[in-house]
mmCIF file of all heavy atoms in Angstrom:
data_model
loop_
_atom_site.group_PDB
_atom_site.id
_atom_site.type_symbol
_atom_site.label_atom_id
_atom_site.label_comp_id
_atom_site.label_asym_id
_atom_site.label_seq_id
_atom_site.Cartn_x
_atom_site.Cartn_y
_atom_site.Cartn_z
ATOM 1 N N ALA B 267 10.418 29.999 -20.616
ATOM 2 C CA ALA B 267 11.350 31.123 -20.407
ATOM 3 C C ALA B 267 11.932 31.590 -21.737
ATOM 4 O O ALA B 267 12.032 32.792 -22.002
ATOM 5 C CB ALA B 267 12.470 30.691 -19.464
ATOM 6 N N LYS B 268 12.312 30.628 -22.577
ATOM 7 C CA LYS B 268 12.894 31.012 -23.870
ATOM 8 C C LYS B 268 11.869 31.722 -24.745
ATOM 9 O O LYS B 268 12.208 32.651 -25.474
ATOM 10 C CB LYS B 268 13.436 29.772 -24.580
ATOM 11 C CG LYS B 268 14.748 29.298 -23.986
ATOM 12 C CD LYS B 268 15.448 28.333 -24.901
ATOM 13 C CE LYS B 268 16.922 28.236 -24.499
ATOM 14 N NZ LYS B 268 17.685 27.383 -25.403
ATOM 15 N N SER B 269 10.621 31.264 -24.637
ATOM 16 C CA SER B 269 9.591 31.890 -25.471
ATOM 17 C C SER B 269 9.371 33.342 -25.049
ATOM 18 O O SER B 269 8.887 34.149 -25.832
ATOM 19 C CB SER B 269 8.279 31.109 -25.371
ATOM 20 O OG SER B 269 7.644 31.380 -24.133
ATOM 21 N N ARG B 270 9.740 33.661 -23.821
ATOM 22 C CA ARG B 270 9.616 35.043 -23.373
ATOM 23 C C ARG B 270 10.929 35.805 -23.525
ATOM 24 O O ARG B 270 11.059 36.932 -23.042
ATOM 25 C CB ARG B 270 9.137 35.087 -21.916
ATOM 26 C CG ARG B 270 7.692 34.588 -21.783
ATOM 27 C CD ARG B 270 7.042 34.982 -20.481
ATOM 28 N NE ARG B 270 7.676 34.333 -19.348
ATOM 29 C CZ ARG B 270 8.295 34.976 -18.362
ATOM 30 N NH1 ARG B 270 8.361 36.283 -18.371
ATOM 31 N NH2 ARG B 270 8.848 34.309 -17.378
ATOM 32 N N GLY B 271 11.908 35.180 -24.160
ATOM 33 C CA GLY B 271 13.137 35.901 -24.488
ATOM 34 C C GLY B 271 14.113 36.055 -23.344
ATOM 35 O O GLY B 271 15.022 36.887 -23.400
ATOM 36 N N ILE B 272 13.945 35.259 -22.286
ATOM 37 C CA ILE B 272 14.885 35.343 -21.167
ATOM 38 C C ILE B 272 16.200 34.685 -21.575
ATOM 39 O O ILE B 272 16.223 33.697 -22.302
ATOM 40 C CB ILE B 272 14.280 34.657 -19.920
ATOM 41 C CG1 ILE B 272 12.972 35.361 -19.540
ATOM 42 C CG2 ILE B 272 15.251 34.676 -18.754
ATOM 43 C CD1 ILE B 272 12.163 34.636 -18.507
ATOM 44 N N SER B 273 17.305 35.260 -21.082
ATOM 45 C CA SER B 273 18.626 34.799 -21.494
ATOM 46 C C SER B 273 19.005 33.535 -20.726
ATOM 47 O O SER B 273 19.767 33.562 -19.767
ATOM 48 C CB SER B 273 19.645 35.907 -21.241
ATOM 49 O OG SER B 273 20.925 35.448 -21.555
ATOM 50 N N VAL B 274 18.427 32.421 -21.152
ATOM 51 C CA VAL B 274 18.679 31.166 -20.464
ATOM 52 C C VAL B 274 19.081 30.103 -21.475
ATOM 53 O O VAL B 274 18.537 30.044 -22.584
ATOM 54 C CB VAL B 274 17.431 30.738 -19.653
ATOM 55 C CG1 VAL B 274 16.176 30.792 -20.480
ATOM 56 C CG2 VAL B 274 17.591 29.335 -19.073
ATOM 57 N N THR B 275 20.072 29.302 -21.078
ATOM 58 C CA THR B 275 20.499 28.166 -21.898
ATOM 59 C C THR B 275 20.542 26.936 -20.993
ATOM 60 O O THR B 275 20.480 27.055 -19.770
ATOM 61 C CB THR B 275 21.889 28.399 -22.519
ATOM 62 O OG1 THR B 275 22.790 28.774 -21.472
ATOM 63 C CG2 THR B 275 21.849 29.492 -23.575
ATOM 64 N N ALA B 276 20.659 25.779 -21.618
ATOM 65 C CA ALA B 276 20.632 24.549 -20.825
ATOM 66 C C ALA B 276 21.397 23.456 -21.543
ATOM 67 O O ALA B 276 21.579 23.485 -22.759
ATOM 68 C CB ALA B 276 19.199 24.100 -20.583
ATOM 69 N N GLU B 277 21.833 22.493 -20.738
ATOM 70 C CA GLU B 277 22.547 21.346 -21.292
ATOM 71 C C GLU B 277 21.895 20.053 -20.818
ATOM 72 O O GLU B 277 21.179 20.033 -19.808
ATOM 73 C CB GLU B 277 24.025 21.354 -20.845
ATOM 74 C CG GLU B 277 24.164 21.006 -19.367
ATOM 75 C CD GLU B 277 25.538 21.231 -18.764
ATOM 76 O OE1 GLU B 277 26.225 22.194 -19.170
ATOM 77 O OE2 GLU B 277 25.902 20.464 -17.858
ATOM 78 N N VAL B 278 22.166 18.987 -21.554
ATOM 79 C CA VAL B 278 21.702 17.660 -21.168
ATOM 80 C C VAL B 278 22.858 16.698 -21.402
ATOM 81 O O VAL B 278 23.692 16.923 -22.279
ATOM 82 C CB VAL B 278 20.439 17.264 -21.967
ATOM 83 C CG1 VAL B 278 20.723 17.159 -23.465
ATOM 84 C CG2 VAL B 278 19.844 15.948 -21.461
ATOM 85 N N THR B 279 22.904 15.640 -20.598
ATOM 86 C CA THR B 279 23.992 14.672 -20.738
ATOM 87 C C THR B 279 23.561 13.514 -21.637
ATOM 88 O O THR B 279 22.365 13.218 -21.748
ATOM 89 C CB THR B 279 24.385 14.068 -19.377
ATOM 90 O OG1 THR B 279 23.328 13.208 -18.946
ATOM 91 C CG2 THR B 279 24.631 15.138 -18.329
ATOM 92 N N PRO B 280 24.526 12.845 -22.246
ATOM 93 C CA PRO B 280 24.169 11.640 -23.015
ATOM 94 C C PRO B 280 23.451 10.599 -22.162
ATOM 95 O O PRO B 280 22.544 9.922 -22.646
ATOM 96 C CB PRO B 280 25.529 11.119 -23.503
ATOM 97 C CG PRO B 280 26.390 12.348 -23.562
ATOM 98 C CD PRO B 280 25.945 13.201 -22.404
ATOM 99 N N HIS B 281 23.828 10.476 -20.878
ATOM 100 C CA HIS B 281 23.169 9.420 -20.088
ATOM 101 C C HIS B 281 21.722 9.767 -19.760
ATOM 102 O O HIS B 281 20.874 8.877 -19.727
ATOM 103 C CB HIS B 281 23.967 9.010 -18.840
ATOM 104 C CG HIS B 281 24.459 10.121 -17.963
ATOM 105 N ND1 HIS B 281 25.661 10.745 -18.156
ATOM 106 C CD2 HIS B 281 23.915 10.705 -16.882
ATOM 107 C CE1 HIS B 281 25.841 11.662 -17.217
ATOM 108 N NE2 HIS B 281 24.788 11.658 -16.438
ATOM 109 N N HIS B 282 21.438 11.056 -19.555
ATOM 110 C CA HIS B 282 20.026 11.398 -19.314
ATOM 111 C C HIS B 282 19.193 11.283 -20.587
ATOM 112 O O HIS B 282 17.969 11.186 -20.514
ATOM 113 C CB HIS B 282 19.908 12.804 -18.718
ATOM 114 C CG HIS B 282 20.355 12.876 -17.294
ATOM 115 N ND1 HIS B 282 21.496 13.538 -16.906
ATOM 116 C CD2 HIS B 282 19.836 12.336 -16.161
ATOM 117 C CE1 HIS B 282 21.650 13.413 -15.596
ATOM 118 N NE2 HIS B 282 20.668 12.687 -15.116
ATOM 119 N N LEU B 283 19.861 11.298 -21.730
ATOM 120 C CA LEU B 283 19.141 11.138 -23.004
ATOM 121 C C LEU B 283 18.872 9.674 -23.343
ATOM 122 O O LEU B 283 18.120 9.384 -24.271
ATOM 123 C CB LEU B 283 19.962 11.747 -24.154
ATOM 124 C CG LEU B 283 20.001 13.266 -24.250
ATOM 125 C CD1 LEU B 283 21.058 13.696 -25.273
ATOM 126 C CD2 LEU B 283 18.639 13.827 -24.636
ATOM 127 N N THR B 284 19.537 8.767 -22.621
ATOM 128 C CA THR B 284 19.466 7.364 -23.070
ATOM 129 C C THR B 284 19.099 6.366 -21.980
ATOM 130 O O THR B 284 18.720 5.245 -22.306
ATOM 131 C CB THR B 284 20.824 6.923 -23.672
ATOM 132 O OG1 THR B 284 21.859 7.274 -22.762
ATOM 133 C CG2 THR B 284 21.066 7.610 -25.004
ATOM 134 N N LEU B 285 19.232 6.727 -20.713
ATOM 135 C CA LEU B 285 19.004 5.748 -19.643
ATOM 136 C C LEU B 285 17.856 6.193 -18.741
ATOM 137 O O LEU B 285 17.597 7.386 -18.601
ATOM 138 C CB LEU B 285 20.267 5.584 -18.787
ATOM 139 C CG LEU B 285 21.508 5.044 -19.488
ATOM 140 C CD1 LEU B 285 22.732 5.165 -18.578
ATOM 141 C CD2 LEU B 285 21.293 3.590 -19.894
ATOM 142 N N THR B 286 17.191 5.214 -18.131
ATOM 143 C CA THR B 286 16.145 5.531 -17.160
ATOM 144 C C THR B 286 16.495 4.921 -15.808
ATOM 145 O O THR B 286 17.477 4.183 -15.669
ATOM 146 C CB THR B 286 14.782 4.980 -17.595
ATOM 147 O OG1 THR B 286 14.855 3.551 -17.560
ATOM 148 C CG2 THR B 286 14.412 5.443 -18.993
ATOM 149 N N ASP B 287 15.634 5.215 -14.824
ATOM 150 C CA ASP B 287 15.864 4.709 -13.469
ATOM 151 C C ASP B 287 15.827 3.185 -13.409
ATOM 152 O O ASP B 287 16.275 2.598 -12.423
ATOM 153 C CB ASP B 287 14.882 5.339 -12.476
ATOM 154 C CG ASP B 287 13.422 5.097 -12.825
ATOM 155 O OD1 ASP B 287 13.132 4.613 -13.937
ATOM 156 O OD2 ASP B 287 12.555 5.393 -11.974
ATOM 157 N N GLU B 288 15.328 2.546 -14.451
ATOM 158 C CA GLU B 288 15.345 1.075 -14.434
ATOM 159 C C GLU B 288 16.765 0.532 -14.423
ATOM 160 O O GLU B 288 17.003 -0.610 -14.004
ATOM 161 C CB GLU B 288 14.577 0.526 -15.640
ATOM 162 C CG GLU B 288 13.115 0.907 -15.570
ATOM 163 C CD GLU B 288 12.238 0.062 -16.467
ATOM 164 O OE1 GLU B 288 12.767 -0.848 -17.118
ATOM 165 O OE2 GLU B 288 11.030 0.332 -16.490
ATOM 166 N N ALA B 289 17.719 1.342 -14.872
ATOM 167 C CA ALA B 289 19.121 0.903 -14.860
ATOM 168 C C ALA B 289 19.617 0.676 -13.435
ATOM 169 O O ALA B 289 20.614 -0.007 -13.221
ATOM 170 C CB ALA B 289 20.004 1.932 -15.567
#
Side-chain angles (χ1 to χ4, degrees):
Chain B
K268 284 195 162 184
S269 76
R270 292 197 294 118
I272 300 169
S273 176
V274 49
T275 52
E277 72 191 35
V278 63
T279 70
H281 49 272
H282 287 111
L283 285 169
T284 50
L285 297 170
T286 67
D287 58 349
E288 296 198 2

